[in-house]
Amino acid sequence: MGYRNLQECIADLEQRRELVRIDVETDPYLEVGAIQRRVYRAGGPALLFTRVKGSGFPLLGNLFGTMARTTYIFRDTLDGIRRLVELKINPASLLKHPLDFAGAPRAALHLLPRTVNRGPILAHRATIDRLPQLTSWPRDGGPFVTLPQVYSESPSRPGFRHSNLGMYRVQLAGNRYRLNEEVGIHYQIHRGIGVQHAEAIARGVPFRVNIFVGGPPALTVAAVMPLPEGLPELSFAGLLGGRRLEMVAPPGQLPMPAEADFCISGVIDPTKTLPEGPFGDHLGYYSLAHDFPVLRVEQVYHRPGAIWPFTTVGRPPQEDTTFGAFIHELTGALIPEVLPGVKAVHAVDAAGVHPLLLAIGSERYVPYEAGRQPRELLTIANAILGNGQLSLAKYLLICPHEDNPPDIHDIAAFFRHILERVDWRRDLHFQTRTTIDTLDYSGSGLNQGSKVVIAAAGDKRRDLPAELPAGLRLPDGFTAPRLCLPGVLAVQGPACSGSFTAPDPDLERFSAFYGSDDPLNRLPLVVIVDDSDFVARTLDNFLWVVFTRSDPAADIYGIGAASRCKHWGCEGSLVIDARRKPHHAPPLEDDPAVERRVDALAAPGGPLHGII
């Protein structure tokens, strides 16, 4: 049986020495976040900060900091969930006719929340300024809730069956928010809450929202799960938590988990938006200040002994990397059911998740063809880019399973497989004015950018050089060629000073410098960067820089490029401009003074000694 609340989980982890108490006073402004990041990188324990400056509530960090600890927390329910996935039960049918699934695992009995008349969450009231004012990065616009569970219901079909629970950013103070009266709700495009918000505006009715913090650990995971349509997140929280979720609803308000630690209850103002942010985000940069909806706060509830769980969001890997791995473990088997023809999809964490997708599909359209080429792959690629959050990808690299590709999680081997087969004249397919991740500033504006599908199929076309070609030449201003992967060259270019609206003259000059017979063309991919040593140092550096600092339509060039029948391609090397651009957001950087304080905590006799 799973944990009823967060306190049970903490007690269990502490008994197993998977949790450490930090009993010295720590500052929620920068210091606590820096500690959590360092402990996560060290594969360390969960952290309970018992003396939080400016707040009477303890902070819990790094709860999901390792895959081993995450699977331990849900050890009692994982087998049942896997069996349900294997059965491929239709969630809507299961909710409507549970007796029809009598042979399904007992886990299915936990799908339906239970309404109760009272619960610990209603015991106490607070104000926003009494909550931990957690600020993770120096340029953040204020304190944020970093593990919120934002609950809303369909205005036309109220009730949990048509509810949404999502992890949307919540700013508690700063900017122009009226303290204790307003908080900011930042939800990205393609999120379930947006559909319900639009429905409330169209109907002219109040849009009520509850923000849960803490409670059973299953609630936190449920808030980030990409669930099939018809399965509410509250139902999945019951499945994962191993018990029916108990919900309590004060008169005139939405329900809230009886065992939650906190609940901020209110109504989203139908006419008002305010600047929210900046905020250090999962691409490794700040998402800048933009207008987002405002929640008028009505009540702040908390349970006795309430604990405030948090995480830090930044350049991967971070704690949310574990979320992604755990989600894949639970739902990976369903991908072929949702997307026929797809064998595997990998959203690459090191590239910020949404910027880069790798996929393996099928190529069955012309089985009698002498040489396989992308046909069905393009249909499958369109399906992937039309599905949920996968639609936010900028780069999709796809190949058929008939070509026996390597494991999709072996990123270097997958790149090698693609680059050995790709034909840049044929295999690039752009969407030039479309939506990308709200947090990605490489495009032409907020939510705006482009995509490219690189679909490679057939026999191997080339051998990839594992060293720099003899006779390699570079134009003036381009220096320090470094091999990142076989066939992938990083070149340090002049600082970018151009605008998004016109081709960059330095990149055009670089591409025009080479003829079709130049040795450079032995390298199918060339990336122009600000620091080639940094980019070539690790695979993660290459993935992060290239795919977070480029927009396909604006930043892809090529040797011998030409357009034929509106299709763009190139005869020689593909060139990606992955330099920092004037319109990009600034990258996240640690505060040196704060890092020195963390170092002191790790000295002999300190609470982090032997951990980091």
Side-chain angles (χ1 to χ4, degrees):
M1 189 68 73
Y3 303 111
R4 186 181 300 277
N5 51 46
L6 190 58
Q7 288 69 20
E8 288 184 359
C9 178
I10 288 171
D12 186 25
L13 293 179
E14 188 167 26
Q15 186 176 23
R16 287 175 50 86
R17 300 190 177 184
E18 282 276 350
L19 180 141
V20 169
R21 290 176 180 262
I22 308 296
D23 292 327
V24 300
E25 185 180 69
T26 47
D27 195 335
Y29 181 76
L30 303 185
E31 183 179 20
V32 166
I35 292 170
Q36 186 270 327
R37 293 194 294 274
R38 294 274 288 274
V39 173
Y40 170 80
R41 287 199 295 269
L47 303 167
L48 185 64
F49 298 86
T50 60
R51 293 176 56 198
V52 179
K53 185 177 179 179
S55 177
F57 298 109
L59 283 164
L60 175 67
N62 212 42
L63 178 62
F64 304 104
T66 69
M67 190 65 171
R69 185 159 58 248
T70 302
T71 54
Y72 173 78
I73 289 170
F74 303 112
R75 63 197 178 279
D76 294 334
T77 59
L78 292 181
D79 285 343
I81 292 175
R82 291 186 185 108
R83 288 184 59 203
L84 283 172
V85 169
E86 290 170 4
L87 289 170
K88 300 179 178 65
I89 292 174
N90 182 300
S93 298
L94 181 57
L95 289 173
K96 292 177 182 178
H97 308 290
L99 294 180
D100 292 349
F101 295 86
R106 287 177 57 86
L109 301 176
H110 302 138
L111 279 164
L112 300 176
R114 187 201 320 268
T115 300
V116 296
N117 294 324
R118 61 179 61 90
I121 184 59
L122 299 178
H124 299 295
R125 308 286 178 94
T127 52
I128 295 296
D129 61 347
R130 288 180 53 203
L131 303 176
Q133 304 295 294
L134 183 78
T135 306
S136 302
W137 297 99
R139 298 191 192 184
D140 280 0
F144 286 83
V145 188
T146 54
L147 286 177
Q149 308 151 28
V150 182
Y151 180 78
S152 56
E153 294 181 355
S154 166
S156 62
R157 296 178 293 176
F160 95 93
R161 293 177 188 271
H162 301 286
S163 65
N164 180 77
L165 185 73
M167 194 166 285
Y168 312 125
R169 205 161 77 203
V170 177
Q171 184 171 351
L172 294 177
N175 295 348
R176 287 159 42 199
Y177 297 115
R178 293 181 294 175
L179 185 61
N180 295 325
E181 298 179 22
E182 298 172 330
V183 299
I185 304 287
H186 173 133
Y187 60 82
Q188 298 157 253
I189 61 172
H190 223 294
R191 305 290 179 166
I193 191 174
V195 176
Q196 295 177 345
H197 192 184
E199 188 180 346
I201 292 172
R203 295 171 66 88
V205 298
F207 186 45
R208 302 200 66 86
V209 167
N210 278 349
I211 302 165
F212 316 141
V213 182
L219 271 170
T220 299
V221 176
V224 297
M225 283 293 295
L227 297 175
E229 188 173 349
L231 180 61
E233 288 83 4
L234 293 186
S235 291
F236 183 81
L239 283 175
L240 188 60
R243 61 177 74 238
R244 293 178 67 183
L245 193 64
E246 293 187 344
M247 303 291 290
V248 59
Q253 296 187 31
L254 289 176
M256 60 191 76
E259 296 282 349
D261 285 78
F262 299 87
C263 178
I264 302 170
S265 182
V267 177
I268 289 187
D269 193 309
T271 61
K272 187 175 185 178
T273 59
L274 285 175
E276 182 269 358
F279 180 73
D281 230 311
H282 72 265
L283 270 72
Y285 307 89
Y286 288 94
S287 58
L288 304 180
H290 299 281
D291 285 350
F292 279 95
V294 176
L295 182 79
R296 296 198 304 260
V297 177
E298 295 180 342
Q299 298 290 345
V300 180
Y301 299 94
H302 72 89
R303 65 174 296 137
I307 294 170
W308 185 272
F310 77 96
T311 190
T312 305
V313 187
R315 180 190 163 183
Q318 299 286 348
E319 189 175 3
D320 53 5
T321 300
T322 306
F323 282 135
F326 187 63
I327 288 168
H328 177 77
E329 181 175 314
L330 293 180
T331 63
L334 287 175
I335 288 174
E337 296 296 312
V338 178
L339 295 166
V342 175
K343 304 300 180 181
V345 174
H346 180 197
V348 179
D349 181 72
V353 181
H354 293 313
L356 175 62
L357 283 182
L358 311 180
I360 298 173
S362 306
E363 192 51 70
R364 303 164 294 187
Y365 278 4
V366 191
Y368 49 82
E369 200 167 36
R372 195 164 22 248
Q373 60 179 297
R375 297 181 188 276
E376 185 182 7
L377 282 186
L378 302 181
T379 300
I380 292 171
N382 285 329
I384 292 173
L385 293 179
N387 184 269
Q389 293 184 40
L390 298 178
S391 68
L392 301 179
K394 291 190 303 184
Y395 289 84
L396 169 57
L397 278 59
I398 187 169
C399 64
H401 76 96
E402 290 88 350
D403 286 344
N404 297 312
D407 184 278
I408 200 168
H409 294 279
D410 186 343
I411 298 171
F414 193 87
F415 263 81
R416 182 170 196 147
H417 179 88
I418 292 283
L419 292 176
E420 286 175 339
R421 289 160 176 79
V422 70
D423 181 345
W424 296 132
R425 299 167 300 180
R426 178 193 68 191
D427 293 339
L428 295 162
H429 308 273
F430 290 89
Q431 295 180 19
T432 54
R433 295 181 69 90
T434 185
T435 53
I436 60 174
D437 189 353
T438 304
L439 310 177
D440 190 331
Y441 285 84
S442 65
S444 55
L446 187 67
N447 301 319
Q448 300 173 19
S450 66
K451 307 179 187 303
V452 65
V453 173
I454 299 175
D459 295 334
K460 179 177 171 180
R461 302 173 61 88
R462 62 180 66 84
D463 292 318
L464 302 179
E467 56 186 24
L468 296 179
L472 178 64
R473 305 173 302 129
L474 295 173
D476 290 343
F478 293 86
T479 61
R482 301 288 185 268
L483 209 64
C484 301
L485 295 167
V488 180
L489 180 69
V491 174
Q492 197 158 296
C496 179
S497 58
S499 70
F500 187 88
T501 57
D504 186 273
D506 286 322
L507 267 292
E508 289 194 315
R509 179 169 59 86
F510 181 92
S511 302
F513 183 79
Y514 298 100
S516 59
D517 58 349
D518 196 279
L520 179 80
N521 292 314
R522 292 184 54 210
L523 298 152
L525 178 59
V526 178
V527 294
I528 308 300
V529 298
D530 298 303
D531 184 344
S532 56
D533 284 332
F534 175 81
V535 171
R537 190 172 303 146
T538 67
L539 176 61
D540 280 1
N541 285 357
F542 165 76
L543 295 168
W544 182 59
V545 168
V546 172
F547 297 102
T548 65
R549 297 185 183 179
S550 63
D551 175 83
D555 295 324
I556 286 182
Y557 298 79
I559 311 300
S563 293
R564 297 179 178 87
C565 300
K566 308 297 189 296
H567 181 90
W568 186 93
C570 59
E571 296 284 342
S573 302
L574 191 75
V575 181
I576 299 178
D577 181 3
R579 299 171 297 168
R580 289 276 312 280
K581 317 294 193 307
H583 61 279
H584 287 182
L588 302 178
E589 296 178 339
D590 293 316
D591 184 302
V594 173
E595 293 300 312
R596 288 193 293 271
R597 295 209 303 268
V598 178
D599 290 338
L601 295 174
L608 298 178
H609 182 62
I611 296 175
I612 61 173

